[in-house]
Amino acid sequence: MFKQLLKKFMGFGGKKGSGQGRASQPQEKRPLSANIDKNLQALRETFDLCGDVIFREFKLNAEPPIRAFVTYVGTLCDEERAGEHVMKALMHETTALPANVRLTQGSALEIVQNRLVTLTELNTSSDLLEVTKHMVNGKLALVIDGSATAIIAGVPGWENRAIEEPDSEPSVRGPRDGFVENLTTNLATIRRRVKTSRLKVENIEVGVLSKQTVSVLYIKGIASDKIVAEVKERIKRIKVDNIIDSGLLQEFIMDEEITVFPLIQTTERPDKTAASLLEGRVALIVDTTPMTLLVPATFITFLQAAEDSYNEAFYATFIRLLRFVALNIALLLPALYIAITTYHQEMLPAKLLNSIAEARSGVPFPAFVEAILMELTFELLREAGTRLPKNVGQAVSTVGGLVIGQAAVQAGVVSSAMVVVVALTAVASFTIPNISASFSIRILRFSLMILAAIMGAPGIMLGLMFILFHLCGLRSFGVPYLSPFAPLSPSDLKDTFIRVPWWAMITRPRLFGAKEPVRQETDNGPVKPGEGGGSS
Amino acid sequence: MPSITAQNARQSAWLAASVLPGIFGIVTLSVIWKLGMYFPAKTLAQYAEKVLGKFLGKMLAGIYVLFFLMANIVIVREFAEVLTVVFMPETPILVFAALLVLVGGYAVAKGLEVITRAAQFVLPLFLLSLALVMLLSIPDMELGRFRPLLEGGLLPIINGSVAPASWYGQVILIAVLLPAVNKPKEVFKQGLVMLAAAAAVFTSVTASALAVFGPELTGNFLFPVLEMARYVNAARFVQRMEILVMAFWVTGIVIKASVFYYAICLTSAQLLGLKAYKPLVYPVGLVQITGATFLFGSTLELMGFLAKVWSPLALVFELGLPLLLLMVTLMRPTLRRNTR
């Protein structure tokens, strides 16, 4: 049903494969010419009306002088470095060349490349379109008269946000760095944690109109080849104008089209990414996006915070169980409140029932309306809080707290019991570490509330079974979403609701780290002084 | 279920719930397993055709479709009945029947794998809730209620065994599911474990209901376990646990109904020679909803049907017909050799 509806929205009938529209035009090659004027003309035409592109013609310091020009997007390059390492080298330092090396039109390209330009990131290209592509990526192009090949030099120099603590996943213990909008910086933060040549970084360019780099990260030998291949396959299949954010990529490469659950994990934390890589998962970093995608994702990963791995095992286990309880509260409490006050009053102890009945006596609405009203109000406040600038947001929360907490009860619109329920639900939903998971819980909460209003507790149960069936049917890159619970793999339960001490985590998760299952030696456990090393 | 048994076998109901039905279950399981070994990767409907010939085989498959259909209609009706009688007296049967079938149909459309995974997920919770209720009922139990043992001789026990036997006999479903199993050779062993576990659960439930209420009340209650949960009062705070029991009972029923639903769809697809059973899911669901809503007039009619008609009839389908199939297979050596 939803699929058919989706097709309607897709326009032109949603026919697959027939989309030979604008988005997938193949672009033919246009070789550079040996004539500098023609090249200059062609590039000027390409960047017509682009105010941020700089052309600079000059002459190489040789006898006779050789014409050349550099061109780059001025806002993306570091002018100082370009001047130092390219211009100055070509215009002055040619005098420092050894006597037997003569700079002529024919040898210029080779000599400039090998002896003059003092930059490490240096390529050549003889295709106009490729040159253009490099330029919009922040590279500098140097074209010398007489050669049909341009030298591409990397002098990146745009403004970046400094590495900050990740806003969406703060932690008390553990590293404080978060991803930023710059791909290279992000890769550096991961490489600094996974120091091995087996960490592979494959760059794939996505987008037809504007190409965006997507880095596929995995550890060779640990990550399943099948999953890695599948990930790359799915990314390469995308034919779209542009990928603005990893959120877009996420929807393109998901398994199932219609689900409220996030089938791909997102994180802003390099440490979490590194840990996931070591478990055999694959990370996707999109340039200009601070949110990294981790695949495959299972349901339980959304209840795990990075911090759990650093805190003491008992404490981490306690927190995880607490989070699970919170998940249930966030999902079920308003629905249960509706079901109990409407249909199953006998479930409550007499005194509690009395006080709830008393609180509800002045309320004009049935429990369902009351609950929907309050939950919606809360969602409104939450949304207002996120959209508004931080200092105004404070005001909203004050007003909201007053309206919800006091005025609504005093005015007799809702009961005080309902306020408690909403507050508990809200607090519980904040404990879910992953934002997208908490979104899905919020949506499901409303559907369960409706079921509870119609059919009471049995309705809730049937709704939950429906959700369970749905979850059991989901897969993320071939890995069952509910693993390791269903299908059950007992040895993987060690890092789910409980977290065993690190020295006991001998094996990697079976479903994504099976290629090299053993993570550590079995005798890593703590030893009493004096017994060290004698156990094996 | 315990109440039907208790009506016949009285204070020895726990015996009636375990020994004879357990044996029945084991025999059924072995017959089905044997058949499954002779015809690997074939379901009941498929090998019935091989054994009995095209016409008789198709007929048998058709009969089994009806059997599974009826069984599931009974399950759906029981479910709706419990919910309306105990929890929501004003809600029509249709609502619950429809919702259960809808959820089950969703699972069936997603495939057997989804159902089994869900079962795996739910089973521990289900057992835990049952165990909790029994544990909390211990203060109310009185073992004297089991005496005198075998008061009326063996006959009441045999009578009381029929209903539970038909329940154990539901292992017949394995005949449909066997081709989907990864390691069919191990099914027999696993099946035995399953039967033993089911017997343990069922016997202890019956026994604790008897110990708490005595045979008279247990026989009169419609749903003794639910009443038991209602009766619990631990520390003056843990009371009225029937919602908990109901919650996990619902999950169990949903799984059970989906498996039967799956069996109906698969068997009828094979009967009709369809490649996939998906197009049948919704029509079958509609039949089930209608059947569950209109086939029985009242709770008592349902109970009477269950005790007097359905249970004995089910025995024929669960053991009788498969046994017949097995005997025909054994009598036709060519058939055995060809299919090996």
PDB file of all heavy atoms in Angstrom, chain B residues 135-167:
ATOM      1  N   LEU B 135       5.237 -19.181  40.551  1.00  0.00           N
ATOM      2  CA  LEU B 135       6.057 -18.962  41.734  1.00  0.00           C
ATOM      3  C   LEU B 135       5.294 -18.159  42.779  1.00  0.00           C
ATOM      4  O   LEU B 135       5.280 -18.480  43.967  1.00  0.00           O
ATOM      5  CB  LEU B 135       7.318 -18.199  41.312  1.00  0.00           C
ATOM      6  CG  LEU B 135       8.574 -18.482  42.121  1.00  0.00           C
ATOM      7  CD1 LEU B 135       9.033 -19.898  41.866  1.00  0.00           C
ATOM      8  CD2 LEU B 135       9.666 -17.498  41.734  1.00  0.00           C
ATOM      9  N   LEU B 136       4.615 -17.120  42.319  1.00  0.00           N
ATOM     10  CA  LEU B 136       3.900 -16.254  43.248  1.00  0.00           C
ATOM     11  C   LEU B 136       2.637 -16.922  43.782  1.00  0.00           C
ATOM     12  O   LEU B 136       2.058 -16.471  44.762  1.00  0.00           O
ATOM     13  CB  LEU B 136       3.553 -14.927  42.569  1.00  0.00           C
ATOM     14  CG  LEU B 136       4.765 -14.047  42.287  1.00  0.00           C
ATOM     15  CD1 LEU B 136       4.354 -12.811  41.508  1.00  0.00           C
ATOM     16  CD2 LEU B 136       5.456 -13.642  43.570  1.00  0.00           C
ATOM     17  N   SER B 137       2.207 -17.993  43.103  1.00  0.00           N
ATOM     18  CA  SER B 137       1.009 -18.685  43.576  1.00  0.00           C
ATOM     19  C   SER B 137       1.338 -19.731  44.632  1.00  0.00           C
ATOM     20  O   SER B 137       0.435 -20.293  45.235  1.00  0.00           O
ATOM     21  CB  SER B 137       0.309 -19.393  42.414  1.00  0.00           C
ATOM     22  OG  SER B 137      -0.020 -18.469  41.434  1.00  0.00           O
ATOM     23  N   ILE B 138       2.613 -19.985  44.832  1.00  0.00           N
ATOM     24  CA  ILE B 138       2.997 -21.055  45.769  1.00  0.00           C
ATOM     25  C   ILE B 138       2.335 -20.904  47.135  1.00  0.00           C
ATOM     26  O   ILE B 138       1.835 -21.881  47.684  1.00  0.00           O
ATOM     27  CB  ILE B 138       4.539 -21.146  45.873  1.00  0.00           C
ATOM     28  CG1 ILE B 138       5.081 -21.780  44.583  1.00  0.00           C
ATOM     29  CG2 ILE B 138       4.970 -21.985  47.067  1.00  0.00           C
ATOM     30  CD1 ILE B 138       6.559 -21.912  44.527  1.00  0.00           C
ATOM     31  N   PRO B 139       2.269 -19.701  47.699  1.00  0.00           N
ATOM     32  CA  PRO B 139       1.626 -19.594  49.028  1.00  0.00           C
ATOM     33  C   PRO B 139       0.174 -20.073  49.021  1.00  0.00           C
ATOM     34  O   PRO B 139      -0.329 -20.527  50.046  1.00  0.00           O
ATOM     35  CB  PRO B 139       1.684 -18.087  49.313  1.00  0.00           C
ATOM     36  CG  PRO B 139       2.742 -17.558  48.447  1.00  0.00           C
ATOM     37  CD  PRO B 139       2.847 -18.436  47.263  1.00  0.00           C
ATOM     38  N   ASP B 140      -0.492 -19.970  47.885  1.00  0.00           N
ATOM     39  CA  ASP B 140      -1.899 -20.374  47.833  1.00  0.00           C
ATOM     40  C   ASP B 140      -2.080 -21.843  47.502  1.00  0.00           C
ATOM     41  O   ASP B 140      -3.204 -22.334  47.470  1.00  0.00           O
ATOM     42  CB  ASP B 140      -2.632 -19.549  46.759  1.00  0.00           C
ATOM     43  CG  ASP B 140      -2.539 -18.072  47.056  1.00  0.00           C
ATOM     44  OD1 ASP B 140      -2.661 -17.722  48.237  1.00  0.00           O
ATOM     45  OD2 ASP B 140      -2.327 -17.293  46.117  1.00  0.00           O
ATOM     46  N   MET B 141      -0.996 -22.540  47.225  1.00  0.00           N
ATOM     47  CA  MET B 141      -1.142 -23.931  46.807  1.00  0.00           C
ATOM     48  C   MET B 141      -1.318 -24.835  48.016  1.00  0.00           C
ATOM     49  O   MET B 141      -0.790 -24.596  49.099  1.00  0.00           O
ATOM     50  CB  MET B 141       0.099 -24.379  46.027  1.00  0.00           C
ATOM     51  CG  MET B 141       0.205 -23.725  44.673  1.00  0.00           C
ATOM     52  SD  MET B 141       1.593 -24.374  43.782  1.00  0.00           S
ATOM     53  CE  MET B 141       1.607 -23.294  42.371  1.00  0.00           C
ATOM     54  N   GLU B 142      -2.071 -25.875  47.777  1.00  0.00           N
ATOM     55  CA  GLU B 142      -2.256 -26.857  48.837  1.00  0.00           C
ATOM     56  C   GLU B 142      -2.172 -28.219  48.173  1.00  0.00           C
ATOM     57  O   GLU B 142      -3.045 -28.570  47.377  1.00  0.00           O
ATOM     58  CB  GLU B 142      -3.630 -26.672  49.484  1.00  0.00           C
ATOM     59  CG  GLU B 142      -3.626 -27.003  50.934  1.00  0.00           C
ATOM     60  CD  GLU B 142      -4.950 -26.622  51.559  1.00  0.00           C
ATOM     61  OE1 GLU B 142      -5.229 -25.397  51.667  1.00  0.00           O
ATOM     62  OE2 GLU B 142      -5.706 -27.537  51.875  1.00  0.00           O
ATOM     63  N   LEU B 143      -1.119 -28.944  48.513  1.00  0.00           N
ATOM     64  CA  LEU B 143      -0.876 -30.186  47.787  1.00  0.00           C
ATOM     65  C   LEU B 143      -1.935 -31.242  48.093  1.00  0.00           C
ATOM     66  O   LEU B 143      -2.139 -32.176  47.329  1.00  0.00           O
ATOM     67  CB  LEU B 143       0.522 -30.728  48.090  1.00  0.00           C
ATOM     68  CG  LEU B 143       1.630 -29.806  47.573  1.00  0.00           C
ATOM     69  CD1 LEU B 143       2.997 -30.392  47.868  1.00  0.00           C
ATOM     70  CD2 LEU B 143       1.485 -29.569  46.068  1.00  0.00           C
ATOM     71  N   GLY B 144      -2.620 -31.102  49.206  1.00  0.00           N
ATOM     72  CA  GLY B 144      -3.673 -32.065  49.564  1.00  0.00           C
ATOM     73  C   GLY B 144      -4.766 -32.158  48.514  1.00  0.00           C
ATOM     74  O   GLY B 144      -5.491 -33.155  48.433  1.00  0.00           O
ATOM     75  N   ARG B 145      -4.859 -31.116  47.695  1.00  0.00           N
ATOM     76  CA  ARG B 145      -5.937 -31.104  46.701  1.00  0.00           C
ATOM     77  C   ARG B 145      -5.730 -32.141  45.606  1.00  0.00           C
ATOM     78  O   ARG B 145      -6.628 -32.391  44.813  1.00  0.00           O
ATOM     79  CB  ARG B 145      -6.046 -29.715  46.065  1.00  0.00           C
ATOM     80  CG  ARG B 145      -6.459 -28.672  47.093  1.00  0.00           C
ATOM     81  CD  ARG B 145      -7.043 -27.430  46.436  1.00  0.00           C
ATOM     82  NE  ARG B 145      -7.609 -26.569  47.459  1.00  0.00           N
ATOM     83  CZ  ARG B 145      -7.103 -25.372  47.785  1.00  0.00           C
ATOM     84  NH1 ARG B 145      -6.079 -24.893  47.150  1.00  0.00           N
ATOM     85  NH2 ARG B 145      -7.663 -24.662  48.743  1.00  0.00           N
ATOM     86  N   PHE B 146      -4.514 -32.699  45.543  1.00  0.00           N
ATOM     87  CA  PHE B 146      -4.274 -33.737  44.543  1.00  0.00           C
ATOM     88  C   PHE B 146      -4.869 -35.079  44.962  1.00  0.00           C
ATOM     89  O   PHE B 146      -4.958 -35.992  44.166  1.00  0.00           O
ATOM     90  CB  PHE B 146      -2.772 -33.924  44.305  1.00  0.00           C
ATOM     91  CG  PHE B 146      -2.161 -32.762  43.596  1.00  0.00           C
ATOM     92  CD1 PHE B 146      -1.020 -32.149  44.078  1.00  0.00           C
ATOM     93  CD2 PHE B 146      -2.730 -32.279  42.433  1.00  0.00           C
ATOM     94  CE1 PHE B 146      -0.462 -31.071  43.428  1.00  0.00           C
ATOM     95  CE2 PHE B 146      -2.182 -31.205  41.767  1.00  0.00           C
ATOM     96  CZ  PHE B 146      -1.047 -30.595  42.274  1.00  0.00           C
ATOM     97  N   ARG B 147      -5.167 -35.214  46.220  1.00  0.00           N
ATOM     98  CA  ARG B 147      -5.655 -36.512  46.700  1.00  0.00           C
ATOM     99  C   ARG B 147      -7.173 -36.571  46.652  1.00  0.00           C
ATOM    100  O   ARG B 147      -7.832 -35.530  46.779  1.00  0.00           O
ATOM    101  CB  ARG B 147      -5.158 -36.736  48.138  1.00  0.00           C
ATOM    102  CG  ARG B 147      -3.704 -37.167  48.141  1.00  0.00           C
ATOM    103  CD  ARG B 147      -3.205 -37.438  49.520  1.00  0.00           C
ATOM    104  NE  ARG B 147      -3.314 -36.265  50.378  1.00  0.00           N
ATOM    105  CZ  ARG B 147      -2.727 -36.172  51.567  1.00  0.00           C
ATOM    106  NH1 ARG B 147      -1.996 -37.154  52.030  1.00  0.00           N
ATOM    107  NH2 ARG B 147      -2.890 -35.111  52.311  1.00  0.00           N
ATOM    108  N   PRO B 148      -7.806 -37.697  46.525  1.00  0.00           N
ATOM    109  CA  PRO B 148      -7.164 -39.000  46.310  1.00  0.00           C
ATOM    110  C   PRO B 148      -6.754 -39.183  44.852  1.00  0.00           C
ATOM    111  O   PRO B 148      -7.520 -38.851  43.955  1.00  0.00           O
ATOM    112  CB  PRO B 148      -8.254 -39.977  46.690  1.00  0.00           C
ATOM    113  CG  PRO B 148      -9.521 -39.232  46.468  1.00  0.00           C
ATOM    114  CD  PRO B 148      -9.248 -37.793  46.688  1.00  0.00           C
ATOM    115  N   LEU B 149      -5.585 -39.727  44.665  1.00  0.00           N
ATOM    116  CA  LEU B 149      -5.060 -39.940  43.319  1.00  0.00           C
ATOM    117  C   LEU B 149      -5.837 -41.060  42.632  1.00  0.00           C
ATOM    118  O   LEU B 149      -6.194 -42.060  43.258  1.00  0.00           O
ATOM    119  CB  LEU B 149      -3.578 -40.316  43.431  1.00  0.00           C
ATOM    120  CG  LEU B 149      -2.758 -40.267  42.144  1.00  0.00           C
ATOM    121  CD1 LEU B 149      -2.688 -38.864  41.606  1.00  0.00           C
ATOM    122  CD2 LEU B 149      -1.366 -40.810  42.407  1.00  0.00           C
ATOM    123  N   LEU B 150      -6.083 -40.904  41.372  1.00  0.00           N
ATOM    124  CA  LEU B 150      -6.775 -41.922  40.569  1.00  0.00           C
ATOM    125  C   LEU B 150      -8.089 -42.360  41.209  1.00  0.00           C
ATOM    126  O   LEU B 150      -8.370 -43.537  41.321  1.00  0.00           O
ATOM    127  CB  LEU B 150      -5.866 -43.146  40.363  1.00  0.00           C
ATOM    128  CG  LEU B 150      -4.576 -42.892  39.589  1.00  0.00           C
ATOM    129  CD1 LEU B 150      -3.764 -44.160  39.525  1.00  0.00           C
ATOM    130  CD2 LEU B 150      -4.845 -42.365  38.213  1.00  0.00           C
ATOM    131  N   GLU B 151      -8.834 -41.387  41.627  1.00  0.00           N
ATOM    132  CA  GLU B 151     -10.069 -41.667  42.358  1.00  0.00           C
ATOM    133  C   GLU B 151     -11.011 -42.559  41.559  1.00  0.00           C
ATOM    134  O   GLU B 151     -11.496 -43.570  42.042  1.00  0.00           O
ATOM    135  CB  GLU B 151     -10.781 -40.362  42.682  1.00  0.00           C
ATOM    136  CG  GLU B 151     -11.892 -40.522  43.690  1.00  0.00           C
ATOM    137  CD  GLU B 151     -12.645 -39.217  43.891  1.00  0.00           C
ATOM    138  OE1 GLU B 151     -12.436 -38.276  43.085  1.00  0.00           O
ATOM    139  OE2 GLU B 151     -13.431 -39.148  44.829  1.00  0.00           O
ATOM    140  N   GLY B 152     -11.239 -42.219  40.321  1.00  0.00           N
ATOM    141  CA  GLY B 152     -12.227 -42.960  39.537  1.00  0.00           C
ATOM    142  C   GLY B 152     -11.618 -44.006  38.634  1.00  0.00           C
ATOM    143  O   GLY B 152     -12.199 -44.358  37.618  1.00  0.00           O
ATOM    144  N   GLY B 153     -10.399 -44.462  38.961  1.00  0.00           N
ATOM    145  CA  GLY B 153      -9.759 -45.423  38.083  1.00  0.00           C
ATOM    146  C   GLY B 153      -9.120 -44.731  36.897  1.00  0.00           C
ATOM    147  O   GLY B 153      -8.911 -43.514  36.916  1.00  0.00           O
ATOM    148  N   LEU B 154      -8.812 -45.485  35.852  1.00  0.00           N
ATOM    149  CA  LEU B 154      -8.062 -44.940  34.726  1.00  0.00           C
ATOM    150  C   LEU B 154      -8.947 -44.249  33.698  1.00  0.00           C
ATOM    151  O   LEU B 154      -8.498 -43.381  32.967  1.00  0.00           O
ATOM    152  CB  LEU B 154      -7.275 -46.066  34.036  1.00  0.00           C
ATOM    153  CG  LEU B 154      -5.946 -46.402  34.707  1.00  0.00           C
ATOM    154  CD1 LEU B 154      -5.276 -47.572  33.996  1.00  0.00           C
ATOM    155  CD2 LEU B 154      -5.009 -45.195  34.709  1.00  0.00           C
ATOM    156  N   LEU B 155     -10.199 -44.643  33.629  1.00  0.00           N
ATOM    157  CA  LEU B 155     -11.048 -44.157  32.544  1.00  0.00           C
ATOM    158  C   LEU B 155     -11.160 -42.629  32.489  1.00  0.00           C
ATOM    159  O   LEU B 155     -10.987 -42.033  31.415  1.00  0.00           O
ATOM    160  CB  LEU B 155     -12.430 -44.809  32.635  1.00  0.00           C
ATOM    161  CG  LEU B 155     -13.174 -44.780  31.301  1.00  0.00           C
ATOM    162  CD1 LEU B 155     -12.446 -45.610  30.252  1.00  0.00           C
ATOM    163  CD2 LEU B 155     -14.614 -45.246  31.464  1.00  0.00           C
ATOM    164  N   PRO B 156     -11.423 -41.957  33.633  1.00  0.00           N
ATOM    165  CA  PRO B 156     -11.515 -40.491  33.569  1.00  0.00           C
ATOM    166  C   PRO B 156     -10.228 -39.860  33.062  1.00  0.00           C
ATOM    167  O   PRO B 156     -10.265 -38.852  32.353  1.00  0.00           O
ATOM    168  CB  PRO B 156     -11.762 -40.073  35.024  1.00  0.00           C
ATOM    169  CG  PRO B 156     -12.132 -41.300  35.739  1.00  0.00           C
ATOM    170  CD  PRO B 156     -11.668 -42.482  34.963  1.00  0.00           C
ATOM    171  N   ILE B 157      -9.118 -40.502  33.402  1.00  0.00           N
ATOM    172  CA  ILE B 157      -7.840 -39.936  32.965  1.00  0.00           C
ATOM    173  C   ILE B 157      -7.726 -40.038  31.452  1.00  0.00           C
ATOM    174  O   ILE B 157      -7.302 -39.089  30.766  1.00  0.00           O
ATOM    175  CB  ILE B 157      -6.672 -40.668  33.644  1.00  0.00           C
ATOM    176  CG1 ILE B 157      -6.699 -40.319  35.118  1.00  0.00           C
ATOM    177  CG2 ILE B 157      -5.349 -40.289  32.991  1.00  0.00           C
ATOM    178  CD1 ILE B 157      -5.455 -40.574  35.852  1.00  0.00           C
ATOM    179  N   ILE B 158      -8.130 -41.214  30.933  1.00  0.00           N
ATOM    180  CA  ILE B 158      -8.078 -41.372  29.484  1.00  0.00           C
ATOM    181  C   ILE B 158      -8.999 -40.361  28.813  1.00  0.00           C
ATOM    182  O   ILE B 158      -8.636 -39.690  27.845  1.00  0.00           O
ATOM    183  CB  ILE B 158      -8.437 -42.813  29.084  1.00  0.00           C
ATOM    184  CG1 ILE B 158      -7.347 -43.746  29.603  1.00  0.00           C
ATOM    185  CG2 ILE B 158      -8.560 -42.930  27.566  1.00  0.00           C
ATOM    186  CD1 ILE B 158      -7.656 -45.195  29.450  1.00  0.00           C
ATOM    187  N   ASN B 159     -10.180 -40.209  29.355  1.00  0.00           N
ATOM    188  CA  ASN B 159     -11.102 -39.210  28.814  1.00  0.00           C
ATOM    189  C   ASN B 159     -10.503 -37.819  28.863  1.00  0.00           C
ATOM    190  O   ASN B 159     -10.624 -37.032  27.918  1.00  0.00           O
ATOM    191  CB  ASN B 159     -12.417 -39.220  29.613  1.00  0.00           C
ATOM    192  CG  ASN B 159     -13.333 -40.292  29.096  1.00  0.00           C
ATOM    193  OD1 ASN B 159     -13.217 -40.707  27.948  1.00  0.00           O
ATOM    194  ND2 ASN B 159     -14.225 -40.770  29.951  1.00  0.00           N
ATOM    195  N   GLY B 160      -9.882 -37.525  30.004  1.00  0.00           N
ATOM    196  CA  GLY B 160      -9.313 -36.191  30.177  1.00  0.00           C
ATOM    197  C   GLY B 160      -8.094 -35.962  29.317  1.00  0.00           C
ATOM    198  O   GLY B 160      -7.653 -34.830  29.126  1.00  0.00           O
ATOM    199  N   SER B 161      -7.544 -37.056  28.793  1.00  0.00           N
ATOM    200  CA  SER B 161      -6.315 -36.913  28.006  1.00  0.00           C
ATOM    201  C   SER B 161      -6.575 -36.478  26.573  1.00  0.00           C
ATOM    202  O   SER B 161      -5.658 -36.046  25.886  1.00  0.00           O
ATOM    203  CB  SER B 161      -5.545 -38.239  27.972  1.00  0.00           C
ATOM    204  OG  SER B 161      -5.134 -38.577  29.264  1.00  0.00           O
ATOM    205  N   VAL B 162      -7.813 -36.632  26.143  1.00  0.00           N
ATOM    206  CA  VAL B 162      -8.086 -36.398  24.723  1.00  0.00           C
ATOM    207  C   VAL B 162      -7.754 -34.950  24.321  1.00  0.00           C
ATOM    208  O   VAL B 162      -7.038 -34.715  23.347  1.00  0.00           O
ATOM    209  CB  VAL B 162      -9.551 -36.726  24.392  1.00  0.00           C
ATOM    210  CG1 VAL B 162      -9.857 -36.344  22.954  1.00  0.00           C
ATOM    211  CG2 VAL B 162      -9.800 -38.202  24.603  1.00  0.00           C
ATOM    212  N   ALA B 163      -8.263 -34.015  25.119  1.00  0.00           N
ATOM    213  CA  ALA B 163      -8.041 -32.615  24.752  1.00  0.00           C
ATOM    214  C   ALA B 163      -6.559 -32.261  24.741  1.00  0.00           C
ATOM    215  O   ALA B 163      -6.055 -31.719  23.749  1.00  0.00           O
ATOM    216  CB  ALA B 163      -8.821 -31.699  25.691  1.00  0.00           C
ATOM    217  N   PRO B 164      -5.818 -32.576  25.821  1.00  0.00           N
ATOM    218  CA  PRO B 164      -4.392 -32.275  25.763  1.00  0.00           C
ATOM    219  C   PRO B 164      -3.676 -33.030  24.644  1.00  0.00           C
ATOM    220  O   PRO B 164      -2.728 -32.493  24.046  1.00  0.00           O
ATOM    221  CB  PRO B 164      -3.847 -32.719  27.127  1.00  0.00           C
ATOM    222  CG  PRO B 164      -4.990 -33.102  27.940  1.00  0.00           C
ATOM    223  CD  PRO B 164      -6.236 -33.056  27.131  1.00  0.00           C
ATOM    224  N   ALA B 165      -4.126 -34.248  24.350  1.00  0.00           N
ATOM    225  CA  ALA B 165      -3.453 -35.004  23.292  1.00  0.00           C
ATOM    226  C   ALA B 165      -3.582 -34.273  21.964  1.00  0.00           C
ATOM    227  O   ALA B 165      -2.623 -34.166  21.198  1.00  0.00           O
ATOM    228  CB  ALA B 165      -4.039 -36.404  23.175  1.00  0.00           C
ATOM    229  N   SER B 166      -4.764 -33.738  21.703  1.00  0.00           N
ATOM    230  CA  SER B 166      -4.943 -33.024  20.443  1.00  0.00           C
ATOM    231  C   SER B 166      -4.035 -31.797  20.416  1.00  0.00           C
ATOM    232  O   SER B 166      -3.580 -31.348  19.374  1.00  0.00           O
ATOM    233  CB  SER B 166      -6.394 -32.601  20.267  1.00  0.00           C
ATOM    234  OG  SER B 166      -6.682 -31.510  21.104  1.00  0.00           O
ATOM    235  N   TRP B 167      -3.767 -31.314  21.619  1.00  0.00           N
ATOM    236  CA  TRP B 167      -2.898 -30.134  21.713  1.00  0.00           C
ATOM    237  C   TRP B 167      -1.452 -30.509  21.428  1.00  0.00           C
ATOM    238  O   TRP B 167      -0.756 -29.858  20.656  1.00  0.00           O
ATOM    239  CB  TRP B 167      -3.068 -29.571  23.117  1.00  0.00           C
ATOM    240  CG  TRP B 167      -2.478 -28.243  23.321  1.00  0.00           C
ATOM    241  CD1 TRP B 167      -2.930 -27.062  22.827  1.00  0.00           C
ATOM    242  CD2 TRP B 167      -1.317 -27.965  24.080  1.00  0.00           C
ATOM    243  NE1 TRP B 167      -2.117 -26.057  23.247  1.00  0.00           N
ATOM    244  CE2 TRP B 167      -1.126 -26.578  24.022  1.00  0.00           C
ATOM    245  CE3 TRP B 167      -0.432 -28.744  24.819  1.00  0.00           C
ATOM    246  CZ2 TRP B 167      -0.081 -25.960  24.669  1.00  0.00           C
ATOM    247  CZ3 TRP B 167       0.604 -28.131  25.464  1.00  0.00           C
ATOM    248  CH2 TRP B 167       0.782 -26.740  25.377  1.00  0.00           C
TER     249      TRP B 167
END
